[in-house]
Amino acid sequence: MSEEPQAEWPLYEVFVRGKRGLNHVHVGSLHAADDEMAVRHARDVYTRRNEGVSIWVVRAEAITASSPDEKDPFFAPSGDKVYRHPTFYAIPDDVPHM
Amino acid sequence: MSHSTPDPNDAHGSVFDGLLGSDDSQWAFGTDFEDPLAGVDTTMPEGVAPDALATYCVMLADDALVLSHRVSEWCSNAPDLEEDIALANIALDLLGQARLLLARAAAADPTVVPALPEGSPVPPEDALAFFREAGDFRNVRLAEVDNGDFAHVVCRILLFATVRLALMERLRESRDRVLAAVAAKGVKELAYHRDYAGRWFLTLAQGTDESRRRLVAALEDLWPLYPELLATHAVEDEVATAGVGVRPADVAAEVEVVLEQVLAMSAVERPDRRALAGVRGRTGRDGLHTEALGRMLAEMQVTARAHPMGQW
């Protein structure tokens, strides 16, 4: 980061785990001056309706994403491989969260 | 403010009843809201005068109600969207505390509730909030003065939440189980308010020359109102003796430790300002207010007063 004053706070992506959720889910983004403030802003903006019990935040610029241009080479080849799904097995009753 | 009134005589009633209706499916994240009064013994404690208990509840309620309104005036005016919502959350927390406390005041002594036209559906907590004159409000004057800049609201919340958190921590042991339950809920909220304001206090103090100048000016401006928060009124003394309330003077030492810590970390000097005098020793707790309260109430109460038969 440069030492020059910035006109706007950096963008953060917010992930919240709900009371009944097992994993953090992306819920949106916000601006904050630093990581600690981002967690607090996330609490104020995204958990005020009793949604969450845990928050992750990450600087948006730290996320590396796949490009829309690569959509076909990335994802199309798995479109017809039905045998990769484990749907041909019966799941035992005592295996949770499947 | 009045869709569902917590009925102090109904142990099963929930403040969320009117909001939830019967259709759970509209709630994306479930309906397991917590009712702060669930399972709480609502009978009045022995050994305390009902009018003293009611007045004490009104004092605690009015602090929260009046500051809630002032903080809510920041809605759409904060420096950015995130702070806007943060301030609105704080205002709503305080409004929730005020609601429970005003309902408790009305249950303890129904004579404190202003008279309304026959058949009015306005619940007692709303009657207390919207149909009392400024002279009947018992809040400290720190809660009522006009807003300034963002540093001003940060300083105001810091002073207010630090004192109220210390009070509520002790009030959890009140012999009045409803006050104890309200305090237990309030402690969690106020801990966040104090943390929020403390962080911004430090950030503004250590930010730019301009942010520091504004912070110091706001603290100087509000400091004369701070001693009133720690003064003990005769009613507070009476309910504290009865084991129902807390004397602000008893938490002064721990409040000072917290504030000194924030000031030291932020390298801000404690202002050298005398307390704002009352009128013959009478201050906000006695119903003697600055003129800012009357103007604020005029705006806050105008709609409710125009429709005393209205259902909201």
Side-chain angles (χ1 to χ4, degrees):
Chain A
M1 241 180 97
S2 71
E3 293 298 311
E4 287 293 304
Q6 307 290 311
E8 196 165 55
W9 288 337
L11 188 69
Y12 282 82
E13 299 298 330
V14 181
F15 301 80
V16 169
R17 183 163 70 80
K19 280 185 179 171
R20 295 168 199 159
L22 294 165
N23 46 313
H24 289 70
V25 176
H26 184 240
V27 291
S29 52
L30 51 74
H31 289 95
D34 58 34
D35 298 354
E36 277 301 307
M37 187 192 278
V39 171
R40 278 159 179 80
H41 279 169
R43 179 266 193 195
D44 282 321
V45 177
Y46 290 111
T47 67
R48 58 199 294 278
R49 296 189 184 88
N50 208 22
E51 292 98 332
V53 293
S54 173
I55 295 170
W56 289 346
V57 294
V58 61
R59 287 276 287 265
E61 65 184 26
I63 293 178
T64 307
S66 62
S67 154
D69 299 341
E70 300 164 320
K71 186 164 171 280
D72 281 348
F74 261 54
F75 305 116
S78 59
D80 60 349
K81 314 286 195 297
V82 65
Y83 48 85
R84 288 180 180 168
H85 289 264
T87 50
F88 305 104
Y89 303 93
I91 298 170
D93 290 341
D94 56 351
V95 175
H97 313 313
M98 290 289 283
Chain B
M1 178 161 169
S2 71
H3 271 292
S4 60
T5 312
D7 178 356
N9 301 314
D10 178 7
H12 306 292
S14 157
V15 289
F16 299 109
D17 284 348
L19 289 172
L20 294 177
S22 55
D23 181 13
D24 280 3
S25 65
Q26 61 183 296
W27 296 90
F29 296 95
T31 54
D32 45 354
F33 297 105
E34 286 164 27
D35 175 6
L37 297 185
V40 172
D41 177 7
T42 57
T43 52
M44 291 298 155
E46 300 285 324
V48 58
D51 61 331
L53 176 59
T55 304
Y56 181 61
C57 290
V58 167
M59 289 174 172
L60 289 175
D62 285 348
D63 284 353
L65 175 64
V66 172
L67 185 60
S68 170
H69 190 84
R70 282 299 184 205
V71 175
S72 76
E73 289 176 350
W74 272 96
C75 224
S76 82
N77 294 312
D80 59 76
L81 181 145
E82 287 85 354
E83 298 311 328
D84 211 83
I85 297 178
L87 289 172
N89 288 345
I90 290 173
L92 281 171
D93 285 346
L94 293 175
L95 190 63
Q97 293 178 19
R99 217 185 135 181
L100 293 166
L101 289 163
L102 287 178
R104 188 57 171 169
D109 180 6
T111 64
V112 300
V113 182
L116 287 170
E118 187 78 24
S120 169
V122 173
E125 76 213 33
D126 283 18
L128 281 164
F130 295 120
F131 292 86
R132 272 183 302 153
E133 306 295 331
D136 297 327
F137 274 73
R138 298 289 200 134
N139 58 281
V140 292
R141 293 169 295 174
L142 178 83
E144 77 201 25
V145 291
D146 285 317
N147 279 315
D149 57 13
F150 183 67
H152 188 271
V153 75
V154 164
C155 289
R156 169 142 69 173
I157 293 172
L158 177 68
L159 296 174
F160 182 86
T162 303
V163 174
R164 193 170 174 90
L165 176 59
L167 290 174
M168 291 288 173
E169 280 175 340
R170 295 202 181 192
L171 195 62
R172 287 182 297 189
E173 308 303 322
S174 171
R175 286 201 304 113
D176 181 346
R177 300 319 297 163
V178 172
L179 272 185
V182 172
K185 173 178 182 285
V187 162
K188 298 170 199 165
E189 295 166 343
L190 292 158
Y192 190 83
H193 303 173
R194 190 183 72 176
D195 176 76
Y196 171 86
R199 282 169 184 277
W200 266 115
F201 191 96
L202 175 64
T203 301
L204 294 176
Q206 300 293 317
T208 64
D209 290 346
E210 176 67 0
S211 72
R212 185 176 176 83
R213 182 190 69 73
R214 283 171 176 259
L215 181 84
V216 170
L219 191 65
E220 291 274 337
D221 187 42
L222 289 168
W223 200 257
L225 298 164
Y226 164 60
E228 191 182 345
L229 271 64
L230 296 174
T232 300
H233 188 271
V235 169
E236 290 168 317
D237 193 53
E238 182 182 342
V239 292
T241 303
V244 167
V246 180
R247 284 181 198 86
D250 287 348
V251 303
E254 59 196 84
V255 166
E256 282 291 295
V257 168
V258 174
L259 288 182
E260 286 300 335
Q261 208 178 350
V262 175
L263 290 173
M265 273 184 71
S266 309
V268 170
E269 279 191 36
R270 186 187 173 92
D272 183 22
R273 302 277 315 265
R274 299 242 311 269
L276 181 65
V279 178
R280 288 195 217 103
R282 301 176 69 208
T283 60
R285 287 273 182 258
D286 305 291
L288 277 233
H289 295 281
T290 66
E291 63 181 41
L293 181 66
R295 287 196 299 267
M296 192 203 95
L297 291 180
E299 185 177 325
M300 187 181 100
Q301 298 179 331
V302 61
T303 309
R305 284 187 181 237
H307 305 282
M309 301 300 285
Q311 189 128 30
W312 307 99

